[in-house]
């Protein structure tokens, strides 16, 4: 943008008018919209932007043609046009560079998007493989659990049967002990009276 900025003296020289004529044209409203203050090496300089430049050029070229402002050289009216062409060429060059940068950014973004999609596809394939492996492992694990449960069931049944036999044996022993006690009591009763 700084190559498009012009000082008041440069504008006066370019439009072949006095600095006072340029200053007269720089109203408060015009300064607020089209003039910047630049400080370099401690010196404040008023600098006119490109749009301000074009407005001033339009004003001074029409006023030069009618003779309203002081003009020093009207023999070469194309110098102003050439400077505008140079400015426009510079702007066009800058825009071309910006477009090239945007194109390269777009291609980089497309590459990144491609990579992201490939990675997502790989992740999806890995997920499917893991699911298949888990399913296979579950299928392998199920029969072993069933046989384990059958084995445990058989073991518990055997233990229960053994415990039942022990209980039957103990019940028989209890019956025998009860009978012996009953006999001893009957003997003791008789022996007490004897």
């Amino acid at each position: 943008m700084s190559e498009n900025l012009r000082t008041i003296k440069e504008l006066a020289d370019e439009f072949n008018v006095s600095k006072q004529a340029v200053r007269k044209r720089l109203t408060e409203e015009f300064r607020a919209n089209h003039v910047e203050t630049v400080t370099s090496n401690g010196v404040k300089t008023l600098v006119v932007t490109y749009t301000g430049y074009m407005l001033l050029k339009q004003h001074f070229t029409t006023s030069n043609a009618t003779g309203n402002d002081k003009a020093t050289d009207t023999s070469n009216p194309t110098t102003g046009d050439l400077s505008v062409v140079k400015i426009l060429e510079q702007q066009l060059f800058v825009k071309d560079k910006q477009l090239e940068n945007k194109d390269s950014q777009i291609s980089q973004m497309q590459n990144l998007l491609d990579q992201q999609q490939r990675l997502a596809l790989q992740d999806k394939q890995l997920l499917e493989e893991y699911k298949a492996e888990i399913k296979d492992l579950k299928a392998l694990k199920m029969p072993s659990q069933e046989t384990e449960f059958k084995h445990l069931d058989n073991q518990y049944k055997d233990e229960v049967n053994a415990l039942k036999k022990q209980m039957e044996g103990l019940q028989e022993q209890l019956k025998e002990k009860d009978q012996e006690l009953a006999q001893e009591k009957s003997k003791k009763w008789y022996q007490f009276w004897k």
Side-chain angles (χ1 to χ4, degrees):
M1 178 88 187
S2 62
E3 67 270 355
N4 296 332
L5 301 176
R6 303 252 196 277
T7 62
I8 294 174
K9 181 174 181 352
E10 290 172 342
L11 289 172
D13 291 342
E14 193 169 325
F15 298 136
N16 296 322
V17 295
S18 66
K19 290 190 328 186
Q20 288 79 14
V22 174
R23 282 197 180 110
K24 201 187 279 186
R25 184 70 184 138
L26 298 178
T27 63
E28 288 298 318
E29 181 182 339
F30 188 87
R31 285 178 185 246
N33 294 328
H34 305 292
V35 177
E36 296 178 14
T37 303
V38 177
T39 305
S40 68
N41 297 331
V43 177
K44 289 185 179 180
T45 307
L46 293 178
V47 181
V48 179
T49 62
Y50 176 74
T51 43
Y53 167 80
M54 293 306 285
L55 290 171
L56 287 173
K57 179 177 180 188
Q58 182 181 12
H59 173 72
F60 286 122
T61 53
T62 57
S63 64
N64 278 345
T66 59
N68 289 340
D69 288 314
K70 178 184 168 188
T72 57
D73 185 18
T74 56
S75 63
N76 194 358
T78 60
T79 52
D81 291 339
L82 288 177
S83 64
V84 171
V85 169
K86 286 181 184 178
I87 291 170
L88 291 174
E89 284 176 351
Q90 288 175 348
Q91 285 184 341
L92 186 61
F93 179 75
V94 169
K95 297 296 180 192
D96 287 342
K97 287 290 184 187
Q98 289 175 346
L99 284 174
E100 287 176 14
N101 287 339
K102 295 295 179 189
D103 288 342
S104 68
Q105 288 175 352
I106 288 171
S107 67
Q108 288 174 351
M109 294 299 276
Q110 286 175 340
N111 287 340
L112 289 173
L113 184 62
D114 255 1
Q115 289 175 355
Q116 182 183 11
Q117 288 174 344
R118 286 184 194 140
L119 288 173
L121 182 62
Q122 286 176 352
D123 288 347
K124 187 177 180 181
Q125 288 172 346
L126 280 174
L127 238 161
E128 293 297 324
E129 287 177 14
Y130 289 150
K131 284 181 182 179
E133 284 181 23
I134 289 172
K135 193 174 184 180
D136 291 342
L137 287 174
K138 283 183 178 179
L140 291 174
K141 196 172 189 180
M142 287 302 185
S144 65
Q145 284 180 344
E146 288 176 9
T147 55
E148 185 177 321
F149 287 139
K150 286 180 183 177
H151 175 69
L152 287 176
D153 283 345
N154 290 339
Q155 184 180 359
Y156 290 136
K157 285 180 183 177
D158 292 342
E159 288 179 15
V160 168
N161 288 336
L163 288 174
K164 281 183 183 179
K165 287 181 184 178
Q166 283 180 356
M167 280 181 53
E168 288 174 0
L170 287 174
Q171 284 177 349
E172 285 181 23
Q173 286 178 3
L174 271 175
K175 283 181 186 179
E176 289 175 6
K177 289 284 183 181
D178 282 343
Q179 287 176 359
E180 285 177 15
L181 278 177
Q183 286 176 1
E184 281 183 25
K185 280 185 183 180
S186 62
K187 284 184 184 179
K188 286 184 183 178
W189 175 260
Y190 292 121
Q191 288 179 359
F192 181 69
W193 290 102
K194 285 189 181 178

